[in-house]
Amino acid sequence: MEDIRRPDGMERITTPELADAFIAEQIKALQAQVGERKVLLALSGGVDSSVVAALLIKAIGKQLVCVHVNHGLLRKGEPEQVIEVFRNQMDANLIYVDATDRFLDLLAGVSDPEEKRHIIGEEFINVFADEARKLEGVDFLAQGTIWPDILESENGIKAHHNAGGLPEDIADRFELVEPVRILFKDEVRMVGKQLGLPENMVERQPFPGPGLGVRCPGAITRERLEAVRESDAILREEFAKNGLEGKVWQYFTVVPDFKSTGIKDGKRTFDWPCIIRAINTTDVMEVTAEHLPAELIDHLVKRITTEVPGINRVLYDYTPKPPATVEYE
């Protein structure tokens, strides 16, 4: 990796005016670097890749080719939002790949958390590489690398992969484009707002690479995965209605792989529990549980057990980190 430094004396991007200045500067730099050639980007819908996409669209338009891979482990409505924002609103050159069956078939019967993560990560690269091989005349690979990634790489905390782990026959074709690499996350969000990205996309909660796969402990089944997706959607909807969106750092549901007895419509059920986790943190090293109003918890219990097939009880996780981690796998 080339030597990268945040410019000495660079002012933190804390205002719309400073974000606009950064955008104008990067548009010129991107146009000079890319010229008339094409750029490829894996667009997950996360904050960093979305801001990079919006910035490149401003700079080079249809010369950017975005690939959005739906591995079947995204939250409810996320693939549709990516398509709506980038293809319909921003007129991006977007390739959408629904690889749900491809991923879930590979994950069938796999319960070990690390093996699940490996399968999801490796197959994502395979799908993206398959799409890259179909394209001609693409000379650049855009990435959502940000400044903390650079610092962690330099300090040996985690590797910074210049071409995202792509096979050599693909990675060797590309020159990197990393337009937000000198920004911190809050600055990336500010730039995203000035580029016109939706608030809920720019302020998106942290979301693990394996997606809902780590919130479906044990061997993933389509039915239990759907229970996670639907319960998570209800939780996010209620947090927004109750003014908690943006005030709680992260909140999600987990549906573990065991069942218990219950009663529904006067009949015995044998269904899964749904666990709610809502947490706050400043550094992710230590995490505290958010204590929700009792009325909200009661409402969530009623909605989830009534509206989500396969769920007959709701639990609330009050465990801090340590001893627990944020995710269950």
Side-chain angles (χ1 to χ4, degrees), residues 7-43:
D8 291 337
M10 176 181 171
E11 189 173 1
R12 291 270 292 172
I13 298 176
T14 56
T15 67
E17 293 75 21
L18 289 171
D20 286 339
F22 174 83
I23 291 167
E25 178 184 315
Q26 283 302 311
I27 287 174
K28 290 181 181 178
L30 288 166
Q31 290 171 341
Q33 180 184 8
V34 174
E36 300 298 320
R37 292 176 289 175
K38 293 181 181 179
V39 180
L40 179 63
L41 169 68
L43 175 58

Side-chain angles (χ1 to χ4, degrees), residues 30-309:
L30 288 166
Q31 290 171 341
Q33 180 184 8
V34 174
E36 300 298 320
R37 292 176 289 175
K38 293 181 181 179
V39 180
L40 179 63
L41 169 68
L43 175 58
S44 68
V47 179
D48 301 331
S49 70
S50 295
V51 172
V52 168
L55 192 52
L56 280 161
I57 290 167
K58 285 273 189 183
I60 61 172
K62 294 282 191 176
Q63 292 168 241
L64 173 67
V65 181
C66 298
V67 177
H68 177 57
V69 177
N70 179 3
H71 51 23
L73 304 167
L74 297 172
R75 292 177 290 195
K76 188 174 182 177
E78 286 186 326
E80 292 83 358
Q81 184 186 38
V82 170
I83 292 170
E84 172 60 27
V85 170
F86 290 99
R87 180 182 288 169
N88 299 341
Q89 296 179 18
M90 294 190 172
D91 196 29
N93 186 358
L94 174 66
I95 298 170
Y96 171 69
V97 183
D98 187 350
T100 299
D101 290 341
R102 185 167 167 173
F103 278 85
L104 296 186
D105 287 349
L106 287 171
L107 289 166
V110 179
S111 59
D112 180 75
E114 289 307 308
E115 188 178 354
K116 285 163 63 176
R117 284 180 177 272
H118 176 76
I119 289 170
I120 294 166
E122 183 176 59
E123 193 59 17
F124 185 90
I125 291 172
N126 291 338
V127 174
F128 183 69
D130 287 347
E131 294 303 316
R133 291 187 181 101
K134 299 175 186 177
L135 301 171
E136 295 181 357
V138 179
D139 298 312
F140 297 90
L141 178 69
Q143 293 191 153
T145 307
I146 64 175
W147 188 241
D149 297 331
I150 305 298
L151 295 179
E152 288 179 341
S153 178
E154 289 182 344
N155 293 329
I157 297 173
K158 69 177 183 182
H160 173 62
H161 299 291
N162 278 0
L166 287 171
E168 288 185 9
D169 70 300
I170 300 296
D172 290 346
R173 287 172 46 188
F174 300 123
E175 178 183 333
L176 278 185
V177 173
E178 297 177 307
V180 297
R181 65 183 181 177
I182 60 171
L183 300 187
F184 288 99
K185 179 69 81 172
D186 60 319
E187 296 174 305
V188 176
R189 295 187 197 278
M190 178 71 72
V191 168
K193 290 175 184 177
Q194 290 307 106
L195 286 166
L197 291 173
E199 182 80 11
N200 62 352
M201 182 175 277
V202 174
E203 296 295 340
R204 185 180 190 238
Q205 292 183 56
F207 192 57
L212 299 180
V214 297
R215 297 173 185 174
C216 195
I220 297 172
T221 65
R222 292 173 187 259
E223 294 77 16
R224 196 155 53 88
L225 181 60
E226 199 57 29
V228 178
R229 197 179 339 265
E230 291 298 324
S231 59
D232 174 82
I234 290 171
L235 182 66
R236 288 188 289 137
E237 181 184 332
E238 291 299 330
F239 265 54
K241 285 181 180 178
N242 287 271
L244 293 171
E245 191 176 48
K247 294 182 180 179
V248 179
W249 183 73
Q250 192 175 16
Y251 41 94
F252 55 88
T253 62
V254 176
V255 179
D257 190 17
F258 67 86
K259 293 184 176 182
S260 63
T261 56
I263 302 169
K264 189 170 186 178
D265 299 327
K267 298 179 180 179
R268 178 185 182 273
T269 63
F270 192 56
D271 289 324
W272 302 298
C274 172
I275 303 169
I276 295 175
R277 187 145 171 79
I279 52 177
N280 280 309
T281 184
T282 55
D283 58 8
V284 198
M285 298 302 294
E286 294 185 355
V287 166
T288 58
E290 178 73 10
H291 288 240
L292 300 181
E295 297 83 1
L296 176 56
I297 291 180
D298 288 344
H299 185 60
L300 285 166
V301 170
K302 184 176 181 179
R303 281 201 64 187
I304 291 172
T305 55
T306 301
E307 298 176 30
V308 183

